[in-house]
């Protein structure tokens, strides 16, 4: 995911790009998203902060995966 966000076709200005890459990763790749080191949480949080400037509604929805951290080791 970190490599793909560097691709020239990826842009936060296109909400579908965020949804299809970062949001799907955080919602459906539970094993890698909820790693013990919390790196994916930081990764998502940084994108949410940047996205909030462009699309606050999508940024608010993107917080959802962070709400489930207590259910994982």
């Amino acid at each position: 995911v970190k490599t793909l966000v560097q691709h020239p076709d990826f842009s936060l200005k296109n909400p579908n790009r965020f949804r299809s890459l970062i949001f799907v990763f955080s919602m459906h790749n539970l094993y890698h998203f909820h790693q013990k080191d919390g790196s994916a949480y930081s990764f998502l949080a940084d994108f949410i902060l940047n996205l909030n400037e462009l699309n606050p509604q999508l940024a608010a929805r993107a917080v959802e995966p962070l709400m489930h951290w207590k259910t994982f080791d």
Side-chain angles (χ1 to χ4, degrees):
V1 175
K2 288 181 180 180
T3 302
L4 289 173
V5 297
Q6 301 300 320
H7 193 278
D9 288 337
F10 180 81
S11 171
L12 282 179
K13 293 180 181 178
N14 183 336
N16 290 332
R17 302 292 167 124
F18 175 82
R19 276 190 215 98
S20 65
L21 181 60
I22 298 171
F23 192 65
V24 169
F25 163 70
S26 62
M27 288 293 290
H28 299 289
N29 193 335
L30 301 178
Y31 179 78
H32 287 102
F33 182 68
H34 296 286
Q35 290 293 310
K36 289 184 180 187
D37 66 358
S39 60
Y41 298 158
S42 297
F43 176 75
L44 178 60
D46 291 340
F47 272 96
I48 290 171
L49 291 172
N50 291 324
L51 183 61
N52 192 48
E53 302 285 324
L54 301 169
N55 190 335
Q57 283 182 309
L58 183 56
R61 180 153 163 68
V63 172
E64 185 180 341
L66 297 173
M67 304 296 186
H68 305 291
W69 67 272
K70 288 184 179 183
T71 59
F72 295 90
D73 293 339

